[in-house]
Each structure stands twice: as C-alpha cells, then as structure tokens.
Amino acid sequence: MGAEQKNTVDQNRINRILERQETRMKMYLSHCVHCSLCAESCFLYMSNNRDPKYMPSYKVINSLGKMYRKKGKIRMELLEDMKEIVWKSCVLCQRCYCPVGVDIPAMISLARSVCRSQGVFPGFDEAGNMESWL
Ligand code: SF4
Ligand code: SF4
C-alpha cells in the first residue's frame, strides 16, 4: 500500500488520465486477437512456469482494459487488486513482441499512472527501501 493511500477514489482525476490516451489504448484493446504470441517473449511469464496471470494480454485486459470497460468508475478495492498486476507482474522491460503492434508496456504504464494517482503503489519498509516484488 502506498504511503498516500486514500479510501476513496478521485473519479475525475482517473477519467482525465484515461481520456488523454483513450483513442490509442482502445485501439490496442480492440486489436488484440488473444494469440498469446507476446507471452513467449515475456520473461516473467516464462520464469513463472507459464502462469497465465503473467501473460501480457491477461495483464492489460485485467488492468487498463477493466478501467476503460468501467468508464473510469473504479472502486479502491479494484485498484488494490490491480496493484499486483501492474507493479508485480510487469517491469515495463518492453521485450514483449506483438505482431499487430499492441504496445503492452504503454498500457501497463498508463494503468500504473491511474493507480499512482490514487495512492496505490508499492510501499516502503521501515528502512525506507521499496517493497520488493520479484
Ligand atoms: S497483445 Fe498481440 S501478441 Fe499478445 S495476445 Fe494480443 S495480439 Fe497476440
Ligand atoms: S514489458 Fe511487461 S509484459 Fe512485456 S515483456 Fe516486460 S514484463 Fe513482460
């Protein structure tokens, strides 16, 4: 949990962040044909015994995809659920290859921006070190 954790979300702020890239992100979401090719190039997917939760397409559908589907009407509990996906299950290394040009890291990055705007991000331990996710 981030240090600035709040109990309620700022709906307007979330919508402003989502709207800025809405056309591009919705195009990516609609272009994904769920072929799973990107998964083979994601080291987190490969190093976690091909756990479907680490598939790039799963990660965007269950983070940014949900944010757009819900038209930004997101509860804090849902953002907390997404925290693991956007911070732990992706390191934005940009290695995932998509033949139709879906930019997975850009999508995860935007989902992180939404989470961060609401105080949802990895916390720090007593020594001030960032919570380790890997
Ligand atoms: S993001 Fe691209 S490579 Fe990955 S499942 Fe969708 S279409 Fe296939
Ligand atoms: S950017 Fe994220 S989804 Fe893509 S290969 Fe890296 S860790 Fe996997």
Side-chain angles (χ1 to χ4, degrees), residues 2-133:
E4 296 170 21
Q5 180 71 59
K6 300 172 292 191
N7 291 323
T8 55
V9 298
D10 181 340
Q11 199 73 63
N12 291 334
R13 193 162 178 206
I14 290 176
N15 282 331
R16 280 200 302 275
I17 294 169
L18 291 175
E19 282 166 8
R20 278 205 295 264
Q21 300 194 49
E22 185 168 356
T23 303
R24 180 174 163 231
M25 293 301 161
K26 283 191 171 173
M27 182 184 71
Y28 288 151
L29 286 163
S30 67
H31 282 188
C32 177
V33 292
H34 308 290
C35 66
S36 303
L37 277 176
C38 52
E40 300 293 321
S41 51
C42 175
F43 79 97
L44 282 174
Y45 171 71
M46 298 304 281
S47 63
N48 281 284
N49 299 316
R50 298 174 187 255
D51 183 339
K53 286 204 308 265
Y54 288 90
M55 287 175 70
S57 51
Y58 173 93
K59 292 183 262 195
V60 292
I61 288 165
N62 288 285
S63 56
L64 193 69
K66 273 190 184 169
M67 291 176 183
Y68 280 114
R69 269 202 310 282
K70 290 181 172 293
K71 302 186 192 316
K73 295 194 179 90
I74 307 160
R75 295 168 63 88
M76 186 56 81
E77 292 80 6
L78 187 59
L79 287 180
E80 282 292 335
D81 288 345
M82 290 178 185
K83 184 170 84 166
E84 180 160 341
I85 296 175
V86 301
W87 297 101
K88 179 183 177 185
S89 303
C90 177
V91 296
L92 305 184
C93 67
Q94 302 188 311
R95 287 185 200 161
C96 35
Y97 169 71
C98 170
V100 297
V102 174
D103 190 339
I104 300 280
M107 299 169 87
I108 299 285
S109 180
L110 185 60
R112 279 191 184 188
S113 295
V114 171
C115 288
R116 195 185 293 108
S117 76
Q118 305 305 309
V120 177
F121 49 82
F124 295 85
D125 64 21
E126 288 178 0
N129 299 314
M130 195 165 195
E131 191 177 349
S132 175
W133 289 84

